[in-house]
Amino acid sequence: TGQRATLWSMQKLWDISPAVHAGTPVFPGDTPYQQHWCATMAPDCPVNVSAITMSPHVGAHADAPLHYDERGAAIGDVSLDAFLGPCRVVPAIGCGPLIEWRHIAHAVDATLPQRVLVRTYAKAPVHWDGQLTAYAPGTIERLADRGVLLVGIDTASIDPADSKTLPSHQVIRRRGLRVLENLVLDDVPEGDYELIALPLRWVDADASPVRAILRELS
């Protein structure tokens, strides 16, 4: 057990979560991150305690089915299996408004893991991007056909920012996949990793922040 722990500690980690602060971009209409201090250390107070208000879609997050299905499960009821395990990072930088199958086909083979994260930015933006790249619904369908359980992206949504029908979210709903959004893949080489991106057990929430990391495979 000690030897195994030592090997794990030597594996390289990539933090793929954006920093969250008052200036973190949010989807128009969402609640931005806000923090205020309820208590601060003083002679009569031994601790600092803050209160935080934010949309659960700020920063790296996992959508719950409840987000796109009025009868869907809240994030606290979603199994964690999809958020932990082997994944493949696939670049599709500058591919345009939608990630079509042709943009990722080069990375799809018989060894494809059950989790796929697509990088679309050369460098993650620091301001809201209304022209974000999203998944084409057919791309998610084909990934689901190959046994993929989770898709991730480095933009704020798997659907275009101005979409009212959310076709890719509806594929996720129908096929039972999970989704991670707002990842930061700037420094991650193409290839396979272990994904660890566990949502909080928020029993009634439509999403949850995650601290998403990738770990080098042993």
Side-chain angles (χ1 to χ4, degrees):
T1 302
Q3 183 180 18
R4 183 179 302 161
T6 300
L7 290 173
W8 282 351
S9 67
M10 294 172 61
Q11 291 171 267
K12 183 173 180 178
L13 297 179
W14 286 262
D15 188 346
I16 58 172
S17 307
V20 175
H21 50 78
T24 298
V26 299
F27 206 98
D30 275 3
T31 303
Y33 177 90
Q34 302 170 66
Q35 177 181 349
H36 73 269
W37 294 101
C38 303
T40 55
M41 295 181 71
D44 62 344
C45 181
V47 294
N48 292 314
V49 179
S50 64
I52 293 171
T53 303
M54 60 179 279
S55 163
H57 300 269
V58 173
H61 64 273
D63 283 349
L66 181 60
H67 179 50
Y68 41 82
D69 180 355
E70 63 181 358
R71 298 181 180 179
I75 197 65
D77 292 326
V78 172
S79 171
L80 298 178
D81 295 353
F83 301 101
L84 176 66
C87 79
R88 181 163 296 172
V89 174
V90 182
I93 298 170
C95 67
L98 294 176
I99 302 166
E100 304 285 355
W101 186 253
R102 59 189 171 89
H103 297 130
I104 66 169
H106 68 278
V108 177
D109 57 24
T111 68
L112 186 70
Q114 292 180 309
R115 300 155 194 87
V116 173
L117 313 180
V118 177
R119 177 185 175 189
T120 69
Y121 290 123
K123 185 173 180 57
V126 296
H127 303 290
W128 168 251
D129 178 13
Q131 303 301 313
L132 59 84
T133 296
Y135 275 94
T139 300
I140 295 180
E141 290 275 16
R142 294 180 71 168
L143 288 172
D145 289 343
R146 285 159 175 78
V148 169
L149 301 177
L150 176 145
V151 296
I153 197 166
D154 60 350
T155 71
S157 179
I158 61 169
D159 277 300
D162 60 354
S163 175
K164 302 302 181 185
T165 57
L166 304 181
S168 287
H169 279 89
Q170 291 307 313
V171 175
I172 294 290
R173 176 193 60 78
R174 182 166 44 80
R175 301 298 298 266
L177 274 68
R178 300 291 172 249
V179 59
L180 294 173
E181 296 167 330
N182 270 340
L183 303 175
V184 177
L185 300 171
D186 296 6
D187 300 321
V188 183
E190 179 177 7
D192 290 356
Y193 303 86
E194 179 187 17
L195 171 69
I196 305 169
L198 302 180
L200 300 172
R201 198 170 187 179
W202 286 359
V203 296
D204 296 319
D206 58 293
S208 168
V210 299
R211 184 62 181 266
I213 66 170
L214 297 175
R215 184 159 60 181
E216 183 180 35
L217 291 174
S218 57

